């Protein structure tokens, strides 16, 4: 989820850049449990269509939205229990950048069903960002100050949370019963199959792709490895599973690195290990580790629900077993002592895929994409792991010294200002009220223009002046919020960037624990050029904003 700190990080700069034209975001969501997807030609659920119609009609009736830019964010098939949904994350990112001034949803449950997170956005994040939030069917509008903290709103969000947890448990139980009967429950058919239009929850063979699946198994049985199979398919321009789905009109969004797609070793390996190609239905290979959480974990094989002969197989059990005999048994191993600290953290800057580590005595990293396709100009150089370690260690020490110096500057500034948190909060509250007054003034002069009480030139002049004042106020609020976030209850600095990096000023050797703490990834470009991406970048930006701001709450007059 995009955290509150991240949302605050650069809102001031964004607000200063935003234009005078209002942008209204309508947000739509439906989960897999209550989606009505119907026939294949029906690209969206009825619920999504109904939400869109309701919000479109509502926005058209609001005079203050006349002439506004309307943008849409839609999460079709996503639970509201968390904020890792792709569309809501994109919407919140644009909100953080100041590109959105109002968000409209059908009801509070469409935005989210997590009581605490929804409440936090409504009462803290959106007011801070100067964003109006409207839930049409709940009669909620944040422009009315009492709505955000009302007992009715809190009670509704709590009920949505409880209801979501209850229905999630019931859906899990119902799915388990259906799986035990051999019904296919996944939202999309595996490559090589189609969903049966005559029998719900049943698979039929797709003649266009089943032949490719058979070829893959035959090549594997003949001794060809997954890399060789992938390269053969790419050279022959055989459509990948994603490309095939798109050609068939599927609107599913894949979370891939590139819009274009090619066969990879992992893609081939997943097909070769999928027992559903023998005519078996399997359910429960992965489970969500928490109700409402999109994150899944592997489930023990003895807990899978596997039913034989539920549909026609593309390969026989004997063909499947022969292919498995030619493959090394796949297993994910945790990083043990002696394992590379850069495991899964070195990425090719051209194709975007994780680079492979080769060798034990003198390990190096290389991009294997060139082995399966010529579509990308990936780096051909081998990058020794020692070179990466030396570069990371050197830069880590510099980051550590930077953290130490930044913390000292912050402490000195704090000592000189002698500003307590209470006075800062009062200043923020006062400035928020000033911002709301300006927002109301902008709406009032708009209404005067609509009813002919003010000409357009006068309206634009007054609106631009009020908008500049409002943006300056929100920018100042953002700075003061950063100061509050950096100061702990005892008045001392609390910042994860400082807390983490200051420990490593004298570090002599990298360990897996240190790398996991501070390093996000290493991006490698041709010519052995590397870019080191550190953790806690938002925390660092928040600290820099704090120490570079003016006199804080001492100058808050607008």
């Amino acid at each position: 989820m995009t955290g509150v700190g991240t949302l605050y990080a650069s809102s001031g700069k964004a607000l200063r850049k935003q234009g005078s034209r209002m942008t209204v975001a309508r947000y739509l969501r439906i989960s897999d449990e209550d989606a009505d997807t119907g026939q294949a030609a029906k690209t969206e659920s009825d619920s999504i269509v109904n939400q869109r119609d309701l919000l479109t009609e509502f926005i058209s009736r609001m005079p203050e939205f006349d002439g506004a830019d309307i943008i849409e964010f839609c999460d079709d098939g996503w639970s509201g229990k968390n904020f890792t949904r792709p569309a809501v994350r994109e919407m919140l990112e644009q909100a953080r950048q100041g590109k959105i001034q109002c968000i409209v949803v059908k009801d509070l449950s469409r935005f989210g069903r997590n009581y605490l997170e929804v409440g936090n956005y409504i009462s803290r994040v959106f007011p801070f960002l100067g964003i109006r939030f409207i839930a049409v069917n709940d009669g909620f509008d944040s422009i009315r100050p009492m709505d955000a903290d009302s007992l009715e709103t809190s009670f509704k969000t709590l009920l949505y949370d409880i209801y979501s947890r209850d229905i999630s448990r019931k859906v899990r139980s119902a799915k388990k019963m259906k799986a035990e009967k051999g019904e296919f429950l996944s939202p999309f058919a595996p490559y090589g199959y189609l969903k049966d239009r005559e029998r719900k929850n049943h698979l039929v063979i797709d003649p266009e792709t089943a032949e490719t699946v058979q070829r893959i198994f035959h090549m594997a049985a003949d001794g060809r490895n997954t890399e060789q199979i992938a390269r053969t398919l790419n050279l022959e321009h055989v459509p990948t599973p994603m490309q095939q789905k798109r050609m068939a009109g599927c609107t599913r969004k894949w979370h891939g690195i590139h819009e274009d797609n090619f066969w990879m070793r992992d893609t081939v390996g997943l097909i070769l290990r999928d027992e559903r190609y023998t005519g078996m239905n399997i359910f429960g290979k992965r489970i969500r580790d928490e109700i409402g959480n999109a994150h899944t974990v592997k489930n023990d094989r003895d807990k899978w629900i596997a039913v034989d002969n539920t549909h026609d197989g593309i390969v026989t059990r004997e063909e499947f077993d022969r292919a498995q005999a030619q493959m090394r048994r796949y297993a994910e191993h945790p990083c043990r002592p002696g394992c590379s600290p850069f495991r899964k953290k070195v990425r090719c800057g051209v194709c975007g895929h994780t680079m492979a580590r080769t060798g034990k005595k003198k390990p190096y990293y290389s991009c294997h994409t060139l082995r399966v396709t010529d579509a990308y100009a990936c780096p051909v150089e081998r990058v020794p792991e020692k070179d990466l370690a030396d570069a990371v260690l050197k830069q880590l020490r510099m980051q550590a010294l930077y953290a130490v110096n930044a913390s000292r500057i912050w402490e000195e500034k704090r000592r000189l200002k002698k500003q307590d948190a209470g006075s800062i909060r009062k200043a923020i509250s006062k400035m928020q009220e000033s911002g709301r007054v300006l927002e109301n003034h902008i709406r009032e002069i708009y209404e005067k223009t609509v009813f002919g009480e003010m000409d357009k030139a006068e309206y634009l002049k007054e609106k631009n002046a009020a908008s500049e004042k409002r943006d300056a106020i929100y920018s100042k609020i953002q700075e003061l919020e950063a100061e509050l976030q950096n100061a702990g209850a005892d008045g001392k600095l609390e910042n994860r960037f400082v807390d983490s990096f200051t420990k490593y000023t004298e570090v002599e050797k990298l360990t897996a624990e240190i790398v996991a703490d501070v390093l996000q990834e290493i991006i490698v470009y041709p010519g052995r050029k590397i870019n080191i991406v550190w953790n806690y970048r938002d925390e660092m930006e928040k600290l820099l904003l704090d120490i570079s701001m003016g006199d804080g709450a001492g100058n808050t007059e607008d």
Side-chain angles (χ1 to χ4, degrees):
M1 187 194 79
T2 304
V4 176
T6 304
L7 283 169
Y8 288 175
S10 56
S11 60
K13 293 179 182 177
L15 284 167
R16 285 193 289 270
K17 292 179 181 178
Q18 73 182 39
S20 58
R21 190 181 180 97
M22 173 183 282
T23 298
V24 178
R26 61 185 181 204
Y27 177 72
L28 324 171
R29 183 191 66 79
I30 187 172
S31 65
D32 286 332
E33 288 98 8
D34 52 11
D36 173 24
T37 53
Q39 300 175 355
K42 204 172 185 181
T43 60
E44 292 180 303
S45 66
D46 285 337
S47 180
I48 289 293
V49 174
N50 290 339
Q51 287 180 58
R52 180 179 294 113
D53 291 343
L54 182 146
L55 297 184
T56 300
E57 196 274 334
F58 172 82
I59 292 171
S60 69
R61 288 190 285 106
M62 302 293 284
E64 60 263 49
F65 297 154
D66 185 31
D69 291 327
I70 312 300
I71 57 177
E72 179 178 298
F73 299 89
C74 178
D75 282 315
D76 198 344
W78 289 82
S79 169
K81 284 295 295 174
N82 63 79
F83 281 82
T84 59
R85 294 163 264 151
V88 83
R89 290 179 67 180
E90 173 61 23
M91 180 178 71
L92 293 175
E93 174 62 21
Q94 291 195 29
R96 178 184 68 81
Q97 296 173 4
K99 297 179 180 179
I100 295 172
Q101 287 72 54
C102 182
I103 296 173
V104 186
V105 298
K106 176 187 173 186
D107 52 49
L108 292 169
S109 70
R110 293 305 94 196
F111 179 60
R113 292 184 182 272
N114 184 298
Y115 170 68
L116 294 177
E117 286 195 89
V118 171
N120 184 53
Y121 277 104
I122 290 175
S123 62
R124 292 187 60 206
V125 177
F126 291 150
F128 167 67
L129 293 173
I131 292 175
R132 183 178 179 184
F133 183 81
I134 300 173
V136 178
N137 284 356
D138 288 325
F140 176 90
D141 190 341
S142 63
I143 200 173
R144 299 187 291 267
M146 295 300 295
D147 277 15
D149 297 319
S150 70
L151 180 61
E152 181 182 1
T153 300
S154 299
F155 187 60
K156 281 182 178 178
T157 55
L158 178 59
L159 283 180
Y160 288 142
D161 193 339
I162 295 172
Y163 171 76
S164 179
R165 293 178 183 275
D166 180 59
I167 199 168
S168 292
R169 283 189 286 267
K170 290 178 180 178
V171 167
R172 279 188 178 186
S173 177
K175 283 186 174 181
K176 184 173 182 294
M177 292 177 62
K178 288 184 177 182
E180 290 171 344
K181 294 178 182 179
E183 296 186 25
F184 180 79
L185 302 177
S186 298
F188 300 97
Y191 181 75
Y193 285 103
L194 297 170
K195 284 194 170 184
D196 194 340
R197 294 187 178 183
E198 304 297 328
R199 292 173 55 190
K200 187 178 179 181
N201 300 327
H202 181 254
L203 294 175
V204 293
I205 291 176
D206 177 10
E208 290 187 27
T209 55
E211 182 181 349
T212 301
V213 173
Q214 289 176 332
R215 280 194 66 200
I216 289 172
F217 275 93
H218 293 160
M219 283 189 283
D222 290 340
R224 302 177 73 174
N225 60 36
T226 54
E227 189 174 277
Q228 293 168 333
I229 296 172
R231 183 162 186 82
T232 298
L233 297 175
N234 286 326
L235 288 173
E236 296 178 7
H237 303 290
V238 176
T240 65
M242 185 181 83
Q243 292 169 341
Q244 188 68 35
K245 291 286 187 182
R246 284 179 175 169
M247 288 189 292
C250 181
T251 58
R252 175 188 177 187
K253 293 184 179 180
W254 281 265
H255 305 291
I257 296 172
H258 297 284
E259 282 297 316
D260 53 343
N261 189 241
F262 56 90
W263 287 93
M264 297 180 61
R265 294 183 304 168
D266 291 346
T267 313
V268 174
L270 287 173
I271 290 175
L272 289 171
R273 294 183 181 89
D274 195 338
E275 291 184 79
R276 291 178 297 181
Y277 291 117
T278 66
M280 173 187 289
N281 253 348
I282 300 175
F283 179 80
K285 294 178 73 171
R286 300 189 69 89
I287 58 173
R288 295 186 179 185
D289 51 359
E290 183 180 342
I291 291 177
N293 194 338
H295 182 261
T296 61
V297 295
K298 285 186 175 182
N299 201 11
D300 295 336
R301 188 180 180 90
D302 58 0
K303 295 180 182 178
W304 295 359
I305 299 175
V307 183
D308 281 316
N309 302 317
T310 57
H311 52 267
D312 292 336
I314 294 177
V315 298
T316 65
R317 170 56 66 174
E318 291 73 23
E319 289 173 325
F320 182 86
D321 290 340
R322 281 201 303 270
Q324 305 312 298
Q326 297 296 328
M327 299 173 61
R328 290 181 297 177
R329 187 173 183 82
Y330 176 76
E332 287 188 359
H333 300 290
C335 195
R336 299 183 296 270
C339 178
S340 170
F342 301 129
R343 184 172 182 261
K344 296 185 177 181
K345 288 183 178 288
V346 183
R347 183 163 61 86
C348 174
V350 178
C351 73
H353 291 281
T354 301
M355 298 181 75
R357 182 179 186 263
T358 308
K360 293 183 178 180
K361 292 184 178 180
K362 293 183 178 180
Y364 61 87
Y365 289 85
S366 59
C367 182
H368 282 191
T369 296
L370 291 173
R371 298 187 181 186
V372 297
T373 180
D374 300 324
Y376 299 94
C378 298
V380 296
E381 304 91 348
R382 296 177 176 182
V383 183
E385 187 171 80
K386 185 180 183 303
D387 291 356
L388 296 179
D390 290 344
V392 170
L393 186 59
K394 180 180 178 181
Q395 292 296 320
L396 174 57
R397 290 172 183 151
M398 294 177 64
Q399 287 286 108
L401 290 174
Y402 188 75
V404 169
N405 291 332
S407 64
R408 287 174 179 169
I409 295 172
W410 187 92
E411 295 286 356
E412 179 64 14
K413 182 180 177 183
R414 187 79 173 178
R415 184 185 66 81
L416 294 174
K417 284 181 60 177
K418 296 181 180 178
Q419 193 83 44
D420 61 44
S423 63
I424 296 176
R425 290 193 179 94
K426 288 180 181 178
I428 291 174
S429 179
K430 179 182 177 182
M431 296 171 76
Q432 286 174 334
E433 180 58 32
S434 297
R436 285 191 287 268
V437 170
L438 287 168
E439 291 283 3
N440 289 333
H441 177 65
I442 293 171
R443 280 188 287 273
E444 287 171 2
I445 61 175
Y446 172 78
E447 291 174 1
K448 287 182 180 180
T449 306
V450 171
F451 291 108
E453 300 175 14
M454 177 183 288
D455 63 49
K456 186 175 181 181
E458 184 182 1
Y459 161 71
L460 291 174
K461 180 180 179 181
E462 196 165 339
K463 179 189 176 185
N464 290 337
S467 297
E468 287 181 8
K469 289 183 179 180
R470 177 201 61 190
D471 294 351
I473 287 173
Y474 288 149
S475 176
K476 193 65 177 180
I477 290 174
Q478 184 255 342
E479 293 176 348
L480 295 177
E481 286 281 357
E483 185 172 353
L484 280 179
Q485 291 174 46
N486 284 319
D490 57 358
K492 294 183 179 180
L493 178 63
E494 285 188 4
N495 184 282
R496 289 187 299 171
F497 165 70
V498 171
D499 294 342
S500 179
F501 280 90
T502 51
K503 297 181 295 186
Y504 306 121
T505 54
E506 303 296 331
V507 65
E508 295 293 334
K509 183 180 179 181
L510 290 176
T511 64
E513 291 73 23
I514 293 175
V515 170
D517 182 24
V518 300
L519 182 68
Q520 180 175 321
E521 63 180 356
I522 303 172
I523 306 175
V524 179
Y525 298 95
R528 294 188 180 179
K529 297 177 182 178
I530 67 170
N531 177 32
I532 300 172
V533 183
W534 302 103
N535 291 331
Y536 312 116
R537 287 174 295 169
D538 291 334
E539 295 288 319
M540 180 185 70
E541 290 176 6
K542 184 172 65 176
L543 179 60
L544 290 178
L545 178 65
D546 191 353
I547 64 179
S548 64
M549 60 184 278
D551 293 331
N555 282 319
T556 57
E557 296 299 325
D558 54 88

